[in-house]
Amino acid sequence: MPAKPHRKRAATRIWAGAAGLATVGALVVAMPATAHDRGHGHHPKPDPTVDVQLLSFNDLHGNLEPPAGSAGTVTERQADGTVKSVPAGGMEYLATSLRTARKGHPYSITAAGGDMIGASPLLSGLFHDEPTIEALNKLKLDVTAVGNHEFDEGATELARMQNGGCHPTEGCYEKGKKFPGADFPYLAANVTSEKTGKPILKPYTVWKKNGVKIGFIGVTLEGTPNVVTASGVKGLKFADEIETINKYAKELDRQGVKSIVALIHEGGMPVSSAYNDSCDTNGPGSGISGPIVDIAKGITPKVDALITGHTHQAYVCTIPDPAGNPRLVTSAASFGKLYTDTTLTYDRRTNDIVRTAARPPKSPGSPALSTSPTSPKSPVSANHIVGRDQPKAPDMTQLIARWGTLAAPVANRAQGYISGDINGRGSDAPEKPLGDLIADAQLAGLSAPDKGGARLALMNPGGIRSDLVYKASGSEGDGVVTYGEAFTVQPFTNMMNVVDLTGAQLLTALQQQVSGVNEAAPKILQISKNLTYTLDLTKSGAARVAVGTVRLNGAAVDPAATYRVAMNEFLAGGGDGFPALVGTNKLVGASDLDVFDAYLASNSSASSPLSPPAPGRITVVG
């Protein structure tokens, strides 16, 4: 299949390397194999060094409109040492922030760390994320890595996101308009076809301008199959992040590309939740833990900076490379609430980067710091808030309004009523109020004998994508939950399963929340109201869940007994590190969203709204 026509764009083009690589089916085609520089004509003799601005963000998840409730805030450290929550995010504001930051920087690149789409609110998700790709094109995104959520609908749909074409079953959403696909390359260096052994998309790309060349290698986490439904990764292999990046860094180096940035959809957990706190207070890399630390330590010194994601955290850290040299590792939270501004000082004599240093903003909430191209000795990298007190980008406002008109008949339908905020994504507690509500809805919807006969329900925390907010987002009125808001909470449309589990399997699954692959970053399942236990954080590993404290309807769980358990198909397939949840005698029910909507409709009204569930199912010690 020939490559799609080259679309003109004002921003600097990039060259997608490793031409001729095989693709998934015939749908993934090569990006344009040529590059041209921005600007023409006579240029004076260049300075020996030039500062290249690298703007980056990650985990947008199709959040075109400002995220609602606590999911749409960031924690900001104040001058007096206190912290406050600041509303942030929204494509109208992200576009303004990035366009403002680019001013005065003739060498500027915008890159992303994956999960641009997937798990998206209804405005984007209803249209298979075509609106988000369109917005990113307008934003002049230069390059992104794939994230695990880019595989939610499988490799074929990801190929359509890259190359364009209308949806294979739903067709074109706007009369006379064909979806053009992404103007920027998706990089998937460590994702190969099981059939061919070749990367399904380009592994790297090279940005060029006036003799400056910077390579970008993109990978997603090796564990993507553990966090995506089986259908989404069918026929694909996911390789080790370090080995893959080192392989292609060596290839770029042989081509004369000495300046390299890795885009890695894997991350870490900073000590502080404040986006503007230093990550290196007690020494380089002292303020971060998690998978990205070992990855950073293993990546070749040929790579000059790491843009990361996946954990939805904010950090700008300096983690030494294997040669002991300082190297930046950054992440900009999620949902477009932050962006990172990094200076890469490029030495024309060596074609390499003079390593940058991590420095916090001059003051909380300050705009992007100036990085003058005449001061390469003072590089800066910092996260900056995408505040909602700045002008909206008119083109993004128009885009949101256009797609919103198409979505309105579905999105604005009243689904239920609540008496106050019910936090999910915005809750840091192991037991989340919205998690309780979803688990109760699943039990209610699947407990009847003809619906599966479930005796309890389990919900993965990562499947809760937002909060339910009391304040009206439109004209629906305070306390009204619209279909669009319910969709934003559960956008995957996973089918519900009811399976047989032994008591021993159930107890093991509860311990798998805090052991094995989940020990470093626990994944606490949300549970229906008839299940209780104690989570002892003073202990380690599986011992954090004492099986003697687990009660179902007040009685101890019998390891030898069989229990019917409701959960979504992702968990029932062992996703998120829960192999113990793979049961038998499976019954497939309605989708998780349909079950949730039905519960809201039958258990709430304008005169009798649902109240936020009281905590107490999980007793936390320590």
Side-chain angles (χ1 to χ4, degrees), residues 415-416 444 595-605:
Q415 199 64 47
V595 168
F596 187 49
D597 283 340
Y599 187 83
L600 290 172
S602 62
N603 289 274
S604 68
S605 65

Side-chain angles (χ1 to χ4, degrees), residues 140-210:
K140 307 304 182 188
L141 180 65
D142 285 304
V143 59
T144 184
V146 295
N148 55 288
H149 281 286
E150 262 81 19
F151 294 93
D152 283 348
E153 296 188 53
T156 300
E157 177 64 4
L158 174 57
R160 189 178 75 88
M161 292 291 100
Q162 178 71 89
N163 301 309
C166 296
H167 193 270
T169 59
E170 298 182 20
C172 299
Y173 294 112
E174 295 180 290
K175 187 176 180 180
K177 289 186 179 180
K178 179 182 177 182
F179 174 57
D183 284 347
F184 51 90
Y186 265 111
L187 303 182
N190 67 331
V191 187
T192 57
S193 165
E194 289 182 345
K195 187 175 182 179
T196 68
K198 301 295 185 180
I200 65 165
L201 291 168
K202 293 300 177 184
Y204 61 80
T205 193
V206 180
W207 181 92
K208 295 181 178 182
K209 181 176 180 180
N210 296 337

Side-chain angles (χ1 to χ4, degrees), residues 58 84 124 207 276 375 463 504 598:
N58 50 275
K84 73 173 183 179
S124 186
W207 181 92
N276 54 339
S375 56

Side-chain angles (χ1 to χ4, degrees), residues 12 45 59 88 248 315 377 421 467 563:
T12 301
K45 185 177 180 179
D59 296 276
Y248 287 110
Y315 48 83
K377 295 182 180 180
D421 290 353
D467 304 332
Y563 298 87

Side-chain angles (χ1 to χ4, degrees), residues 504-547:
Q505 284 178 290
L506 177 59
L507 295 171
T508 298
L510 293 176
Q511 293 186 318
Q512 286 173 346
Q513 299 175 110
V514 289
S515 62
V517 298
N518 292 329
E519 182 166 3
K523 291 186 174 71
I524 306 302
L525 296 168
Q526 306 301 286
I527 55 179
S528 51
K529 58 186 176 184
N530 57 343
L531 183 66
T532 59
Y533 69 93
T534 296
L535 179 65
D536 189 345
L537 298 180
T538 66
K539 298 181 179 179
S540 62
R544 288 178 169 180
V545 176
V547 296

Side-chain angles (χ1 to χ4, degrees), residues 370-397:
S370 172
T371 52
S372 168
T374 62
S375 56
K377 295 182 180 180
S378 302
V380 172
S381 183
N383 278 323
H384 302 282
I385 193 167
V386 178
R388 300 180 193 170
D389 55 353
Q390 59 185 316
K392 297 179 180 181
D395 58 337
M396 296 301 178
T397 301

Side-chain angles (χ1 to χ4, degrees), residues 422-423 430-442 459 464 525-529 599 612-618:
I422 304 180
N423 288 337
E431 179 187 344
K432 306 175 190 303
L434 190 49
D436 286 352
L437 181 62
I438 291 171
D440 288 349
Q442 293 178 351
M459 174 64 189
I464 307 168
L525 296 168
Q526 306 301 286
I527 55 179
S528 51
K529 58 186 176 184
Y599 187 83
R617 304 175 191 191
I618 303 174

